[in-house]
Every structure is written in C-alpha cells, then in structure tokens.
Amino acid sequence: MIRVNDLKSSFELYRDEYEKKALSVLRSGWYVLGSEVESFEREFAAKLGSRFVIGVDNGLNAISLGINALGIGAGDEVILQSNSYIATVLAVTHNGAVPVFVEPDEYYNIDAPKIEDAITPRTKAVLITHLYGQASDMAEICAVCERRGITLLEDCAQAHFARFGGKKVGTFGKMGFFSFYPTKNLGAFGDGGAISTDDEALAEKLRALRNYGSARKYYNDYQGFNSRLDELQAGLLRVKLSHIDEIMKRRAAIAERYLSEIRNEKIALPKVREGATSVWHLFVITAEDRDGLKQYLADSGVGSDIHYPVPPHLSKAYECLGYKRGDFPAAEYLADHVLSLPIYEGMPDGAVSRVIEAVNAY
Ligand SMILES: *Cc1c(COP(=O)(O)O)cnc(C)c1O
C-alpha cells in the first residue's frame, strides 16, 4: 500500500545528521529552551524574512498564545474560514472569543471578497489559513484588513515558505503561526510550533507567555502558559530546515507530475492562484463520488486521506455555536468531496507513477 505520507522514508533521507544531532543534544545536559531553540528561531526567522520567531510546543498553542497576547477574549469575534482545520477554531474558542466563518474559494482558501461582509464592531482579527500549502489571496486580504483597521493573523501550519508576490506567508500579518507536527512540511520528531512577528514588544510578550508569563525567572508579568519548545526538537528542526529547499523541490516535482499526468474527467485537480505558490503540504483533488474513488484507490494499493471530513461548524465540539447543515455549503461540499493523494519528500518515482496510473484507471 502506498501511504499518504511516510515519515520513516523522510527520516531516512537525512538519517545520519538527525542521529548525530539527537545524540549531541542528549549529551549536552540542557533540554528545554536553550541554544538549539535560539539558533532555530534565528535561522527560521532569517529564512522567512521575519524579524522575530518564538518557538513553542505546538501549532495550536502558537495560535492560542498569539490571540491571548493581543488581549482578544470573551465577546470578541475572530473571522476565519469555514473549511480550516479544527485547531484554528479551537485556538479562538479557547480564548473565549467567537469564531465567525467565511466560506472558501476555488483554491480552498478564504474567499477574500467575502471577508468585509463578516466584519462587525466586535471583530478583533482576521485569522486566515494557508490551507494545504497554498498562500491565500494576500493582496485582497491585506487590503480589506488595512481598510477596516483589523489585525491580520496567519495560520501557516500547512504552508511553511509558501509565497504570495514573492513574500513568504507568516510575514504579511501581525503574527504567523506554524506547526512542526511530524507530518507537516517542516516536521519535527514530536510536537513543535512557532510564532513569527516583526513587532519587538509582542515578541517579548510571547516569549514570556510561553514560559509561565515570566521574562525573568520567578518574576511573572502575565498569567502565562507552559508552551515551550524543547532542545531535541529544535535541534532536529535545524537539520531539516537546512534541507528544506530540497524537500520543497521534491514535493513540487511530485505535484507537477500529478498535475500534468493525471487525466480523468471524474476528478478535479487543485489550482494555484496567480501570484501565489503552493508548497504542496497536501495534494487535494475533488471527485463527485469521493468515497467510491477512495475505495477504488485502496483496492489498487494506493492510500488516500480526507482533509477534513467534518467542517468545524458541524463538528460535535461546536454544537454550542448552533449551526446546521446548509449554513456553509462551500465548506460542506469540500468535506464531502475532497481527497488527498500521497505526497511526501521520500516518495519514490515508481510510487508516484502507480498513484497516477490508479487515478487514471478509475
Ligand atoms: C496542524 C495544524 C494546526 C495545529 O498544529 P499542531 O502542531 O498539531 O497543534 C493548526 N492549524 C492548521 C491549519 C494545521 O494544519
């Protein structure tokens, strides 16, 4: 069975370097928030083109801390897209704020012209997600946020180093939020996350918030959290970051083959917006009979996955918001029709060919 993602094969690509780094961190005697974290933050910031990066424990907490740092809470509204991953919504509601959903466009990202209609006097931020690896429509999104004086936040958990107009995601808004969950393009070997920002005072606050609200040991300025990044993950992330261009190239090459060689009228291929790039975190197609296609592929030895089968507004966790089927039809359509094909940097050419053959034979 060809899997959607194969973390072991990705590890094997740079195995010696990972093992060497892991041993050196283990032998260092320093395990949480140290020189590896500082070096990773500096290197990641440089590669992004952001002034500051704050390493944290995971992507969800990166977003939660960011929202908390802005003082967004009870009674405040945050606009986000109706087809994002649930974590984006959880970060909003964990802070007591209300998620206001805007439907996605044909690129699976927020339908930017619809943002303005969702703005109310209580809107405190627009939190966009660069979904599946593709940068959102930043020209339009930045324009509306500027015009209405609303803070822009970017969930970049799936889109490390994707660009719009040459600028990397996570550098457009007040903050960018990243996840280093193992399956992400820049994946660690455990949990990890980061926040990017150009605002020095905000960076200082975030550094304190991730560590019990303390900038100076045992002196606490905020009711903070324990959201620290550890040295082992940071060290391993530095190794992967040093190879990220090759990793992105390999993923792009696989996506290119899918885009040019998959030919099947029953399937719609993903599109990339003019001015945007995708880093192909996921390769997501749509099909009328998605479940039939998924079964057919499985019978042909090709794994696939659904990102995501339940849109947040219909999930049990958010029954309290009172939404029903039909409220966000674009998100609901995608939940019923999207299918993710295998894509990962360690994927052999032969496996790519087998996926193409299976999809074309359907
Ligand atoms: C993975 C992901 C997150 C959460 O990241 P974790 O590190 O798993 O907490 C948030 N938003 C999106 C869009 C994601 O894909």
Side-chain angles (χ1 to χ4, degrees):
M1 181 71 110
I2 298 169
R3 297 161 59 174
V4 175
N5 199 341
D6 184 343
L7 298 177
K8 193 156 183 302
S9 75
S10 297
F11 163 69
E12 294 292 345
L13 290 178
Y14 311 109
R15 174 190 188 130
D16 289 348
E17 289 176 66
Y18 291 132
E19 291 183 348
K20 199 160 149 250
K21 176 62 81 174
L23 259 188
S24 95
V25 173
L26 288 175
R27 287 171 176 169
S28 74
W30 192 284
Y31 304 113
V32 175
L33 293 188
S35 64
E36 292 291 343
V37 171
E38 279 169 29
S39 298
F40 172 69
E41 289 176 340
R42 207 174 329 107
E43 289 158 8
F44 189 57
K47 179 99 184 141
L48 266 184
S50 179
R51 281 186 72 202
F52 306 101
V53 160
I54 300 93
V56 295
D57 53 347
N58 60 61
L60 167 60
N61 287 345
I63 312 172
S64 288
L65 245 55
I67 291 174
N68 181 289
L70 295 176
I72 295 174
D76 297 331
E77 291 176 358
V78 175
I79 292 173
L80 39 73
Q81 71 212 56
S82 52
N83 66 324
S84 189
Y85 181 52
I86 194 93
T88 324
V89 191
L90 290 172
V92 171
T93 58
H94 284 172
N95 279 288
V98 179
V100 173
F101 297 109
V102 168
E103 291 269 65
D105 61 15
E106 61 189 306
Y107 303 96
Y108 309 133
N109 279 326
I110 196 164
D111 196 346
K114 294 196 175 127
I115 292 175
E116 191 131 35
D117 286 343
I119 295 174
T120 77
R122 291 179 299 281
T123 306
K124 287 286 155 39
V126 172
L127 170 55
I128 59 158
T129 302
H130 305 288
L131 202 65
Y132 305 151
Q134 180 172 181
S136 307
D137 184 2
M138 298 318 296
E140 189 82 23
I141 292 166
C142 290
V144 67
C145 287
E146 219 156 275
R147 190 161 67 238
R148 301 295 299 265
I150 290 171
T151 302
L152 172 62
L153 302 172
E154 300 173 74
D155 182 342
C156 308
Q158 301 190 358
H160 316 74
F161 310 121
R163 286 171 283 131
F164 185 90
K167 200 166 135 81
K168 309 228 173 73
V169 303
T171 65
F172 289 89
K174 190 79 181 163
M175 285 176 269
F177 307 116
F178 294 85
S179 165
F180 307 124
Y181 184 72
T183 59
K184 308 287 161 116
N185 285 24
L186 182 59
F189 295 84
D191 279 306
I195 305 166
S196 59
T197 184
D198 283 342
D199 182 330
E200 190 163 13
L202 187 57
E204 284 308 307
K205 184 171 185 182
L206 290 164
R207 278 185 212 291
L209 280 177
R210 75 174 166 186
N211 193 23
Y212 308 126
S214 123
R216 191 174 142 214
K217 205 170 180 183
Y218 306 134
Y219 291 82
N220 300 76
D221 300 323
Y222 312 101
Q223 294 173 26
F225 304 85
N226 177 351
S227 280
R228 299 176 299 229
L229 182 61
D230 68 72
E231 288 284 284
L232 192 56
Q233 297 310 329
L236 295 170
L237 281 165
R238 289 180 70 200
V239 172
K240 192 170 263 188
L241 185 61
S242 74
H243 294 290
I244 197 68
D245 289 339
E246 298 148 51
I247 289 170
M248 286 166 52
K249 240 178 153 165
R250 178 63 191 146
R251 283 177 172 269
I254 296 166
E256 274 310 313
R257 282 200 61 195
Y258 284 162
L259 288 172
S260 63
E261 295 176 45
I262 290 177
R263 276 168 225 287
N264 187 326
E265 283 176 357
K266 298 205 262 319
I267 283 152
L269 292 166
K271 289 181 289 194
V272 179
R273 183 191 304 281
E274 207 184 317
T277 68
S278 176
V279 292
W280 301 107
H281 170 56
L282 296 168
F283 191 93
V284 179
I285 61 175
T286 57
E288 259 333 289
D289 181 18
R290 187 265 316 275
D291 296 336
L293 170 63
K294 189 175 195 326
Q295 187 58 51
Y296 179 87
L297 293 179
D299 294 342
S300 317
V302 172
S304 62
D305 212 342
I306 297 167
H307 300 94
Y308 301 91
V310 184
H313 72 281
L314 294 182
S315 74
K316 185 158 181 289
Y318 286 116
E319 270 173 7
C320 53
L321 295 176
Y323 289 114
K324 58 182 186 320
R325 186 160 271 277
D327 286 342
F328 297 100
E332 290 161 19
Y333 179 88
L334 291 176
D336 292 338
H337 296 90
V338 290
L339 193 68
S340 305
L341 299 182
I343 190 165
Y344 52 93
E345 57 268 22
M347 190 172 179
D349 284 329
V352 180
S353 300
R354 278 179 53 203
V355 172
I356 293 166
E357 281 157 26
V359 174
N360 287 347
Y362 166 65

